[in-house]
Amino acid sequence: MKPRIHYTKPSITDLEVRYATDAAENGWGAKCYGYISRFEQAFREHLGVDYAIATSSCTGAIHMGLAALGIGPGDEVILADTNWIATVAPIVHLGATPVFVDVLKDSWCIDPEKAEGAITSKTKAIVAVHLYGNVCDMQSLCDLGKRKNLPIIEDSAEAIGSQHRGRRAGSIGHFGTFSFHGTKTLTTGEGGMFVTNDADLYETVLTLSNHGRSRSQTKQFWPDMVGFKYKMSNIQAAIGCAQMERIDSLISRKREIMSAYRTELSDLDWISLNPEDEGTVNGAWMPSIVCTPESGITSELLAERFRAENVDARVFFHPLSSLDFFENQPQNVNSYDLPKRSFNLPSYHDIELADIQRVASIVRNLHAGA
């Protein structure tokens, strides 16, 4: 059996271990929020936003942001059909109705024209998910939001390092959210971040994040509203602080891996990789290939060959509207077509060039024997 190639794993050094150990030994009592505050400040400065709140997950950050906007039963929220369940779950939890629209064939992100066509009197927000590090057409979406008076929300769970016209993904919409799951470019094991430039929204989410207790409340154990418990631990934040000190190199390494795949697969005209359009920077979280219909290559065939070669790669997200519990949703053409012939490639920080070449050879030989 050939050595295993994992599709992703975190980059952890002695710095992360040292900070986490310090938090475990000393981060209690009056110091229990020390690393959390430090992590939030570092992330705020990196992203260029006014406010940041560390959370237990990106899903929790979305949940609180939508709740702070007052979204609830009877409301509709538009998002792309090609997504993981984490983006739509908070919409359902709030009693609102998700409206799935198609993605663009080249970016795999939400189609602004389809989003506009789905707007009704019940629409309260549009969620833009920067899929696999690819960047949504934020200019068109923000213009749409202004014309229709709708907040554009950025789910940037997979887009640390991605940029649109000089601004970092997550800093452009009404609010942005990030994931620090163990698979992500920057990790705290589990965790997330809520970011915004809206002071009032920040205060509401900050209150919601702490059981509904406002920071201006002087009465002990007195909540001002029913909130959530989506706080990050100090030990997780300590790991995040170490990662933030390495953030530029972490992003740079992911982009190097993407570039290596482009080089190795550049002569194959029957596949495309994550786009990087003019005016954008792709954070390259998850290098992915889409095979042309004419190639005859399917996701099932890709999975079979990768398993045979002991390579841990993964399939594209299934369209959310294909899930049994979402009824009366249209079959969006691209969202249903892309997963049939697409695959995510291994891209952990320490992957060797020889392993990238091994993965590329599987793809190359697969077409030859299709």
Side-chain angles (χ1 to χ4, degrees):
M1 179 71 73
K2 294 179 180 179
R4 183 74 161 170
I5 298 179
H6 298 279
Y7 87 90
T8 185
K9 54 185 175 180
S11 173
I12 301 297
T13 67
D14 289 343
L15 184 64
E16 284 82 0
V17 174
R18 188 165 75 248
Y19 282 7
T21 301
D22 177 60
E25 290 180 341
N26 305 305
W28 308 103
K31 297 180 179 179
C32 69
Y33 297 122
Y35 278 108
I36 296 174
S37 298
R38 182 171 155 188
F39 184 36
E40 290 171 339
Q41 179 178 347
F43 201 82
R44 215 167 40 233
E45 292 173 354
H46 171 75
L47 213 65
V49 295
D50 294 335
Y51 307 103
I53 301 172
T55 62
S56 58
S57 67
C58 182
T59 308
I62 295 172
H63 195 173
M64 290 190 294
L66 294 176
L69 291 177
I71 291 171
D75 296 334
E76 294 177 349
V77 178
I78 296 170
L79 70 160
D81 205 355
T82 301
N83 268 320
W84 175 227
I85 190 69
T87 306
V88 70
I91 299 169
V92 177
H93 289 323
L94 290 168
T97 300
V99 177
F100 304 124
V101 299
D102 211 355
V103 295
L104 294 166
K105 189 179 296 186
D106 54 355
S107 72
W108 325 327
C109 294
I110 190 169
D111 184 331
E113 291 186 6
K114 295 294 176 59
E116 182 168 8
I119 294 173
T120 71
S121 60
K122 297 179 180 180
T123 305
K124 293 298 184 290
I126 299 172
V127 182
V129 180
H130 301 299
L131 196 73
Y132 303 137
N134 302 350
V135 184
C136 293
D137 182 354
M138 291 305 298
Q139 185 64 56
S140 295
L141 290 168
C142 287
D143 289 346
L144 174 60
K146 289 178 182 177
R147 284 190 285 109
K148 300 295 184 178
N149 194 29
L150 290 171
I152 305 300
I153 297 158
E154 288 182 89
D155 181 343
S156 302
E158 303 171 354
I160 295 277
S162 298
Q163 298 181 40
H164 181 272
R165 298 192 178 186
R167 300 177 66 184
R168 294 194 182 276
S171 70
I172 306 166
H174 197 58
F175 72 80
T177 61
F178 291 84
S179 169
F180 307 131
H181 184 264
T183 61
K184 299 301 190 291
T185 300
L186 184 156
T187 188
T188 58
E190 283 283 3
M193 192 75 75
F194 171 93
V195 301
T196 187
N197 291 311
D198 185 321
D200 292 335
L201 185 65
Y202 165 73
E203 290 294 339
T204 302
V205 173
L206 188 64
T207 299
L208 285 171
S209 72
N210 190 28
H211 289 300
R213 293 183 291 183
S214 170
R215 63 174 174 170
S216 62
Q217 177 58 255
T218 58
K219 193 173 182 179
Q220 195 172 26
F221 294 117
W222 191 264
D224 299 275
M225 62 179 73
V226 177
F228 303 97
K229 187 60 184 294
Y230 284 144
K231 297 173 72 67
M232 176 180 283
S233 76
N234 201 46
I235 295 175
Q236 288 174 301
I239 297 172
C241 286
Q243 294 267 289
M244 285 305 301
E245 290 185 23
R246 304 173 52 223
I247 187 62
D248 290 339
S249 64
L250 289 172
I251 293 170
S252 176
R253 178 56 186 150
K254 294 292 279 189
R255 286 179 53 76
E256 287 175 0
I257 294 167
M258 177 78 82
S259 178
Y261 274 120
R262 289 194 197 284
T263 298
E264 294 299 324
L265 300 170
S266 61
D267 62 321
L268 305 182
D269 60 4
W270 49 273
I271 68 165
S272 57
L273 283 88
N274 308 56
E276 188 170 72
D277 296 331
E278 185 177 355
T280 70
V281 174
N282 195 311
W285 172 64
M286 187 66 69
S288 303
I289 57 170
V290 176
C291 304
T292 63
E294 295 76 18
S295 70
I297 306 301
T298 65
S299 297
E300 288 79 6
L301 184 56
L302 285 161
E304 176 187 318
R305 297 294 175 85
F306 276 104
R307 276 195 300 270
E309 295 291 333
N310 203 23
V311 175
D312 183 20
R314 66 179 213 176
V315 300
F316 253 44
F317 293 134
H318 305 290
L320 293 172
S321 63
S322 69
L323 300 174
D324 293 340
F325 39 82
F326 291 120
E327 300 178 345
N328 303 318
Q329 292 282 352
Q331 286 205 9
N332 295 296
V333 176
N334 293 331
S335 297
Y336 275 75
D337 178 51
L338 287 169
K340 295 177 181 177
R341 47 192 176 85
S342 307
F343 227 62
N344 301 144
L345 304 179
S347 60
Y348 57 92
H349 290 86
D350 295 334
I351 191 170
E352 301 286 345
L353 177 58
D355 287 334
I356 292 174
Q357 291 172 334
R358 181 177 146 199
V359 172
S361 70
I362 296 172
V363 176
R364 185 182 304 278
N365 294 335
L366 185 148
H367 186 258

